[in-house]
Amino acid sequence: MKKLFYPALFHKAEEGGFWISFPDVPECLTQGDDMTQAYEMAVDALGLALVSREKEQQPLPASSDPTTIVPEPDSFLVVVEFDMLAYKKRTNSHAVKKTLSIPEWLNEAAMSMDLNFSQVLQEALLAKIQA
C-alpha cells in the first residue's frame, strides 16, 4: 500500500500545545504538548482510525484537497503523511499460523541447512511486499 496523505487542522490549545482534528476522519482527534509531539500523535491517531475502519470493512476516506480547507482562527493546516504498512508493522506483531506445501527435496535441503522456515518465509514476503 502506498503512503496516504490527509490534511489535519492543528488548533492552539488554551492550556498550551495543540489539539488536532482531521476533516476527512471526524472521529480522529488527538493532542500534543508541542509541534513534534502533536504531529507524532496525529500520525498514531490517524493510524488507529484508519485501521479501525479497515477492520470494520469500511472504505478509507478520500483525502480532501488541502487548498479547499480554510483553517479557523488560532489553527493551521498540516498535511499528515501516513504509511499503513509501517504502522501495522509497528503496532501489530501478532503471529498468524500458516500451513504451506513445498516439494520434499526442497524441505530436505532446507532442513539440512538448519533454515528457520518461518523466518525465511517472512523475509521473502517482506521483500515481495516492498518491491
Side-chain angles (χ1 to χ4, degrees), residues 109-118 120:
M111 289 182 68
S112 71
M113 296 175 65
D114 289 325
L115 292 177
N116 179 318
F117 285 76
S118 292
V120 171

Side-chain angles (χ1 to χ4, degrees), residues 1-6 50 80-86:
M1 178 176 272
K2 296 180 183 178
K3 291 184 180 179
L4 304 170
F5 298 88
Y6 283 94
L50 295 180
V80 175
E81 177 183 359
F82 181 72
D83 184 333
M84 182 70 83
L85 184 59

